[in-house]
């Protein structure tokens, strides 16, 4: 089993920055990939970004490319999402996910509790 705990959400003005963290515990060696999703009451959970735990290979949603940067610290079993040039449409609950397969999806096995990000205009 793997446990995920997010932190770093909050309220920020448009154009500002936030850094989210996701710390994994438990059987972290079984994790192949970690990532971020976000959800609002009006939308289904959507993919934001993911990173290979060992490879460091990354992928981003088109809506965040060039503004968000995903990274990880293998020794700390922690993943980060640096969010710059934030827009009001980035407002959502952000969820950390982990998977033993090649990618994180909405069907991934492990999820954090979510952290609220609110961007004011």
């Amino acid at each position: 089993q793997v446990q995920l705990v997010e932190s770093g959400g909050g309220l920020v003005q448009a154009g500002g920055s936030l850094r989210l963290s996701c710390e994994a515990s438990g059987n972290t060696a079984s994790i192949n990939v970690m990532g971020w999703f976000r959800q609002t009451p009006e939308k289904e959970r959507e993919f934001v970004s993911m990173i290979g735990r060992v490879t460091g290979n990354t992928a981003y949603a088109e809506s965040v490319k060039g503004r968000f940067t995903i990274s990880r610290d293998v020794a700390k079993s922690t993943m980060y999402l640096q969010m710059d040039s934030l827009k009001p449409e980035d407002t959502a609950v952000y969820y950390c996910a982990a998977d033993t397969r090649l990618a994180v999806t909405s069907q991934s096995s492990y999820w954090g509790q979510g952290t609220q990000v609110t961007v004011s205009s």
Side-chain angles (χ1 to χ4, degrees):
Q1 287 293 320
V2 173
Q3 295 78 42
L4 303 173
V5 178
E6 302 105 332
S7 61
L11 173 65
V12 65
Q13 288 190 329
S17 299
L18 281 174
R19 188 195 197 204
L20 305 182
S21 299
C22 173
E23 183 175 4
S25 60
N27 188 15
T28 58
S30 69
I31 298 172
N32 187 57
V33 60
M34 297 180 71
W36 295 94
F37 286 72
R38 64 187 182 186
Q39 188 169 21
T40 66
E42 298 78 24
K43 293 183 180 180
E44 293 184 355
R45 193 168 295 190
E46 66 171 354
F47 168 77
V48 175
S49 183
M50 64 179 172
I51 186 167
R53 186 181 69 86
V54 175
T55 65
N57 292 337
T58 61
Y60 295 92
E62 285 297 323
S63 58
V64 305
K65 273 185 182 178
R67 299 188 299 120
F68 290 10
T69 304
I70 193 170
S71 62
R72 89 280 191 238
D73 185 327
V74 177
K76 295 182 179 179
S77 297
T78 301
M79 173 182 62
Y80 306 97
L81 187 68
Q82 177 66 40
M83 304 185 295
D84 298 319
S85 302
L86 282 161
K87 304 175 182 179
E89 51 263 44
D90 294 318
T91 296
V93 177
Y94 283 69
Y95 294 92
C96 170
D99 209 307
T100 59
R101 296 170 294 181
L102 295 177
V104 288
T105 71
S106 58
Q107 306 302 315
S108 287
S109 301
Y110 305 114
W111 292 90
Q113 80 284 357
T115 185
Q116 177 70 46
V117 171
T118 302
V119 184
S120 63
S121 57

